[in-house]
Amino acid sequence: MKLVGSLTSPYVRKTRVVLAEKKIDCEFVIDSPWVDNSGVPDLNPLGKIPVLLLDDDTRLFDSRVIVEYLDGVAPNNKLLPSTARERALVKRWEALADGMTDAAVTIVLERRRPDDERSAGWIARHRVKIDRALVALAEDLGDGAWCHGNGITLADIAVGCALGYLDFRMPELDWRAAHPNLARLQEKLMQRPSLADTVPHE
Ligand code: GSF
């Protein structure tokens, strides 16, 4: 099995954290759709990372499909509950965290466009999504030790990677000041090698 992705992508990081938490061996092949001669479009028609290559050559994308697959194939350290309702609730955390990351990625890409093509309105629209998502994540976490239930789940991993991406690309946001309970969760998550060893960097 091979995971194709970059050291900066928050979606690839989420997948790497799940691999580590599940103790699944997987070769990490570094590639990015943003570099010349990238092999990614040949693996995923959408030209996006992560892509998981299975031993029989099956290609899995996107990260939500991959992490659900990984949790399902290894019985240890379950990260998704088995009942429909509980599972949906954990996946809703993931959808909110990933959606916040989507908005941050959109802003990062927009900021990279030439001055005369950049839209302040588009950036503001996505900034509002991030702010609302942070409020919702903080409200849902409350005083809880974990996002869902009594131990780490995919919800915590997705939130940890989303907050880590804000630190990486939008450090000016200072989400910790407004949401100390998210800061507390993030600090705890960062004590785990799975997250500490995958902090995004260029
Ligand atoms: C998002 C993948 C994605 O946008 C998932 O896998 O969860 N919902 C998908 N990946 C980015 C990398 S990232 O660092 O933003 C990507 O591959 N972008 C290339 C492109 O052409 O959009």
Side-chain angles (χ1 to χ4, degrees):
M1 210 162 59
K2 290 181 188 168
L3 176 69
V4 180
S6 70
L7 296 167
T8 54
S9 165
Y11 315 100
V12 173
R13 182 183 186 199
K14 186 180 64 172
T15 310
R16 293 174 71 202
V17 172
V18 167
L19 282 164
E21 290 290 336
K22 303 283 295 179
K23 304 189 192 313
I24 298 174
D25 275 338
C26 182
E27 185 183 337
F28 184 36
V29 179
I30 295 185
D31 198 350
S32 161
W34 299 108
V35 302
D36 291 341
N37 302 319
S38 166
V40 174
D42 293 334
L43 303 172
N44 175 357
L46 301 174
K48 294 187 181 209
I49 47 173
V51 181
L52 187 73
L53 308 178
L54 304 186
D55 292 339
D56 67 359
D57 239 21
T58 302
R59 294 150 193 179
L60 292 186
F61 47 83
D62 62 15
S63 67
R64 290 190 222 175
V65 173
I66 296 172
V67 296
E68 188 164 7
Y69 170 77
L70 293 171
D71 194 49
V73 289
N76 63 318
N77 303 353
K78 291 304 267 187
L79 297 171
L80 278 164
S82 52
T83 67
R85 183 185 165 80
E86 301 271 300
R87 202 176 176 87
L89 289 175
V90 169
K91 289 181 64 115
R92 191 184 76 160
W93 277 98
E94 184 188 23
L96 183 54
D98 279 19
M100 183 172 80
T101 300
D102 293 343
V105 168
T106 300
I107 290 174
V108 168
L109 296 178
E110 190 67 19
R111 282 179 178 167
R112 286 182 187 159
R113 300 179 78 193
D115 286 354
D116 57 341
E117 290 178 20
R118 191 177 310 131
S119 163
W122 190 239
I123 290 175
R125 183 179 176 86
H126 287 83
R127 175 59 202 264
V128 169
K129 291 180 199 287
I130 296 174
D131 291 342
R132 282 198 309 244
L134 283 168
V135 168
L137 292 169
E139 277 179 10
D140 288 352
L141 178 62
D143 292 334
W146 301 97
C147 295
H148 182 94
N150 298 323
I152 190 166
T153 65
L154 181 57
D156 306 284
I157 293 172
V159 170
C161 292
L163 294 174
Y165 188 72
L166 294 184
D167 284 342
F168 179 49
R169 294 296 196 202
M170 302 182 73
E172 74 281 4
L173 256 170
D174 197 15
W175 54 269
R176 285 178 178 79
H179 306 293
N181 64 338
L182 294 179
R184 165 179 57 76
L185 175 71
Q186 180 73 340
E187 204 174 312
K188 185 169 66 175
L189 289 169
M190 284 298 289
Q191 285 163 14
R192 303 178 83 87
S194 61
L195 278 109
D197 295 347
T198 54
V199 172
H201 62 88
E202 297 288 0

